[in-house]
């Protein structure tokens, strides 16, 4: 072969080889990863371990989970999706976690206020419940509560009530995440008249919803003073067998502690520890009066604690030692309690109150920073519900529970610190768009899974029924 031809071939080969990587790179650039949804732009408060706050952020979501978190530029370079949510000018946060509610009690909102827990419960709430709570009541109240929670950026809630199967049904339809506990209590209630009936209900309920992406079915013994030792032990055994979480109230009032000391010779946590009830599936609301020793028991057993500052203040139950429990590394979240004792389901008010209450009671303004209060409603709440692997922060692999918050309301301007803005200035009405399990359930303040007008109508109908049922005992 002539030398010239060999040189020409060599040159051609060199050119081809040199252009190859460029072609491959171009192909790689075009081969985008297809996902379901992208959330782009805005300030992302991740609540991950490093507490990253990403400006001009991007999140990729597929099959209900977060597959990537980063800068907008990184995300749009690698991912494409049929649906995009534009967060320009917004704050993106993990969905809020309401760690303790009785959601249908929205229908008793304002029925009886300004009373202590015992009087409130025995004179008003228990009689009103006995006369009014039906499956239809529970469904209507749940829809009202769900609409209020979505509007306020709550994406997961932990509940305890009756007809919890109907609550689960409404919750799943609305696309909201819930740890939902069917109440077990030692007197006849709306859905179950005996402990045997209640336990049979719980068995069916847990089997039915187990494995659901949104609903975690749970068993909810009301409190150590309304459920016997024998029944509490049976509930613990049921939970061991099925893995169901246990939702309960513990150490809410001083009176509960005093009564427990008298009747059982131990304060509530000590007593529950002694009978082998506590473990890392228990979610305990209130925990206002634990001793230093009891805090160690809660830590040892991995019990989730839910702080309800507004309910505790309103019923004058006391102030839970939350800063101490947080310093000890306990699993502490935040909840509103039922709307009959709060009287709303706003986690924004709850965060604001938690931060201020602990400063006031300790006399130290450095106690419970805005960032810590925000933690209670997000990553802390996830730990309290024993769900920190799934929710509570915006991180790769977690469920896509994502909330966009406006930051241009008069009450938010100007903004210097994002946690300060979120905890001390933002209101539920500033929540703009809500995504749960990768599905948009509220867009630009419009509910997509619930009919707001019908919900309001339904609630008014039940108000008339409640008034009729209680007769003259209703105020002005
Ligand atoms: Zn409660």
């Amino acid at each position: 072969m002539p030398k010239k031809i060999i040189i020409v071939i060599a040159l051609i080969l060199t050119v081809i080889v040199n252009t190859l990587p460029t072609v491959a790179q171009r192909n790689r650039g075009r081969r985008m990863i297809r996902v379901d949804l992208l959330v782009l732009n805005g300030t992302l408060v991740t609540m991950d371990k490093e507490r990253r706050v990403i400006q001009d952020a991007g999140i990729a979501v597929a099959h209900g989970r977060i597959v990537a978190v980063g800068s907008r530029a990184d995300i749009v370079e690698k991912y494409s999706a049929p649906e995009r949510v534009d967060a320009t000018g917004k704050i993106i946060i993990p969905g809020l976690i309401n760690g303790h509610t009785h959601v249908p009690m929205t229908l008793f909102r304002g029925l009886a206020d300004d009373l202590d827990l015992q009087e409130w419960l025995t004179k008003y709430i228990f009689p009103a419940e006995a006369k009014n709570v039906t499956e239809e009541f529970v469904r209507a109240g749940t829809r009202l509560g769900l609409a209020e929670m979505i509007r306020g950026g709550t994406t997961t809630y932990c509940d305890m009530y009756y007809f919890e199967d109907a609550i689960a049904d409404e919750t799943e339809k609305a696309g909201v995440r819930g740890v939902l506990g069917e109440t077990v209590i030692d007197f006849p209630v709306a859905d179950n008249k005996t402990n045997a009936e209640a336990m049979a209900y719980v068995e069916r309920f847990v089997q039915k919803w187990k494995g659901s992406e949104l609903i975690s079915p749970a068993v909810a013994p009301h409190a150590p003073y309304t459920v016997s030792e024998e029944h509490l032990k049976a509930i613990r055994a049921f939970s061991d067998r099925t893995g169901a979480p246990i939702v309960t109230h513990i150490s809410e009032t001083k009176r509960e502690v005093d009564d427990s000391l008298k009747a059982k010779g131990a304060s509530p946590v000590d007593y529950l520890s002694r009978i082998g009830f506590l473990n890392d599936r228990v979610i305990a609301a209130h925990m206002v009066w634990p001793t230093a020793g009891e805090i160690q028991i809660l830590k040892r057993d991995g019990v989730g604690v839910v702080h309800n500052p507004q309910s505790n203040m309103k019923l004058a139950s006391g102030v839970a030692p939350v800063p101490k429990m947080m310093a000890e590394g306990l699993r502490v979240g935040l909840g509103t309690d039922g709307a009959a004792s709060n009287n709303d389901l706003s986690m924004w008010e709850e965060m604001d109150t938690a931060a201020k209450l602990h400063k006031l009671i300790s006399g130290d303004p450095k106690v419970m920073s805005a960032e810590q209060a925000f933690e209670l409603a997000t990553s802390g709440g996830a730990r309290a519900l024993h769900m920190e692997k799934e929710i509570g922060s915006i991180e790769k692999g977690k469920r896509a529970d994502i909330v966009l918050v406006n930051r241009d309301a008069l009450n938010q301007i100007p903004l210097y610190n994002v946690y300060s803005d979120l905890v001390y200035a933002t209101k539920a009405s500033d929540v703009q768009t809500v995504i749960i399990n990768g599905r948009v359930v509220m867009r630009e303040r419009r509910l997509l899974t619930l009919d707001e007008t019908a919900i309001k109508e339904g609630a008014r109908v039940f108000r008339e029924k409640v008034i009729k049922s209680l007769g003259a005992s209703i105020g002005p």
Side-chain angles (χ1 to χ4, degrees), residues 100 102 249 286 337:
H100 184 62
H102 309 279
H249 299 109
H286 301 299
D337 208 351

Side-chain angles (χ1 to χ4, degrees), residues 4-183:
K4 265 185 186 173
I5 293 173
I6 292 171
I7 289 169
V8 168
I9 291 170
L11 274 172
I12 291 168
L13 281 174
T14 311
V15 168
I16 289 170
V17 167
N18 281 341
T19 54
L20 275 177
T22 321
V23 172
Q25 269 169 355
R26 256 189 240 137
N27 279 345
R28 206 163 39 225
R30 281 198 208 104
R31 220 178 295 130
M32 306 281 278
I33 301 168
R34 188 99 172 140
V35 293
D36 300 328
L37 172 76
L38 297 180
V39 180
L40 299 171
N41 313 312
T43 300
L44 169 58
V45 179
T46 62
M47 292 308 284
D48 65 9
K49 281 193 190 69
E50 295 81 40
R51 294 287 164 89
R52 284 185 304 157
V53 175
I54 303 171
Q55 302 295 341
D56 206 10
I59 306 167
V61 173
H63 308 296
R65 288 194 187 269
I66 295 163
V67 294
V69 176
S71 69
R72 179 194 196 283
D74 280 351
I75 297 297
V76 295
E77 195 193 314
K78 293 185 192 126
Y79 298 92
S80 71
E83 191 175 6
R84 286 184 173 209
V85 172
D86 181 12
T88 303
K90 311 281 187 286
I91 305 172
I92 308 164
I93 60 168
L96 302 179
I97 299 169
N98 189 343
H100 184 62
T101 59
H102 309 279
V103 73
M105 292 185 85
T106 45
L107 292 178
F108 293 135
R109 195 194 317 262
L111 174 66
D113 298 307
D114 311 327
L115 299 165
D116 69 48
L117 178 68
Q118 283 310 312
E119 197 182 358
W120 177 79
L121 266 181
T122 54
K123 278 197 186 159
Y124 294 90
I125 297 304
F126 287 155
E129 286 182 334
K131 287 172 181 157
N132 292 284
V133 175
T134 60
E135 187 179 325
E136 277 320 296
F137 175 98
V138 162
R139 284 185 183 273
T142 299
R143 288 194 290 267
L144 176 60
L146 287 168
E148 184 184 351
M149 285 193 284
I150 294 174
R151 278 204 166 287
T154 293
T155 56
T156 297
Y157 74 109
C158 179
D159 197 67
M160 170 201 287
Y161 211 62
Y162 313 107
F163 299 104
E164 204 70 36
D165 182 53
I167 296 175
D169 186 43
E170 295 295 338
T171 304
E172 190 188 50
K173 278 189 210 155
V176 174
R177 194 179 305 287
V179 177
L180 307 179
E182 167 67 16
T183 300

Side-chain angles (χ1 to χ4, degrees), residues 232-451:
L232 288 171
K233 283 179 174 168
I235 285 164
R236 168 65 200 265
F238 170 81
S239 168
D240 286 346
R241 176 163 60 80
T242 58
I246 301 174
V247 179
T248 189
H249 299 109
I250 303 178
S251 211
E252 181 171 358
T253 62
K254 186 73 170 50
R255 181 175 158 179
E256 178 188 338
V257 176
D258 293 344
D259 288 352
S260 178
L261 283 167
K262 247 183 260 164
K264 297 165 182 126
S267 52
V269 176
D270 262 340
Y271 159 70
L272 292 169
S273 168
R274 198 179 66 196
I275 67 167
F277 178 79
L278 301 175
N279 70 1
D280 59 1
R281 285 190 303 276
V282 172
I283 301 160
H286 301 299
M287 203 58 74
V288 176
W289 297 95
T291 61
E294 286 180 320
I295 289 176
Q296 292 309 314
I297 292 173
L298 297 168
K299 182 178 176 176
R300 182 196 70 201
D301 292 348
V303 172
V305 171
V306 180
H307 181 37
N308 300 272
Q310 288 201 339
S311 168
N312 297 156
M313 288 166 76
K314 187 152 175 277
L315 294 160
S317 301
V319 182
V322 171
K324 198 187 278 175
M325 291 194 274
M326 286 179 90
E328 285 288 342
L330 261 66
R331 299 169 164 270
V332 190
L334 191 66
T336 59
D337 208 351
S341 58
N342 184 308
N343 293 358
D344 60 39
L345 303 176
S346 170
M347 288 298 290
W348 301 95
E349 284 196 18
E350 218 61 43
M351 283 190 268
D352 184 55
T353 302
K356 289 170 182 166
L357 173 62
H358 293 288
K359 294 178 198 309
L360 178 70
I361 203 77
S362 64
D364 181 358
K366 292 177 182 165
V367 166
M368 190 65 80
S369 66
E371 190 175 330
Q372 283 177 309
F374 193 66
E375 177 188 325
L376 285 177
T378 53
S379 54
R383 290 182 70 226
L385 301 189
H386 310 290
M387 290 178 76
E388 65 271 24
K389 290 198 177 98
E390 293 285 71
I391 56 172
S393 59
I394 297 183
E395 287 179 84
K396 187 180 170 183
K398 287 207 180 180
R399 295 278 176 194
D401 295 359
I402 300 165
V403 169
L404 273 60
V405 180
N406 275 324
R407 54 187 281 187
D408 60 353
L410 290 172
N411 50 286
Q412 295 172 304
I413 293 172
L415 181 145
Y416 296 104
N417 176 289
V418 76
Y419 295 109
S420 161
D421 180 83
L422 289 168
V423 171
Y424 298 129
T426 297
K427 311 294 169 200
S429 54
D430 298 319
V431 171
Q432 192 227 18
T433 292
V434 176
I435 300 162
I436 305 176
N437 213 40
R439 177 188 185 192
V440 181
V441 296
M442 180 170 85
R443 190 189 295 275
E444 315 268 343
R445 296 217 45 81
R446 199 164 58 81
L447 294 174
L448 302 181
T449 57
L450 290 160
D451 180 344

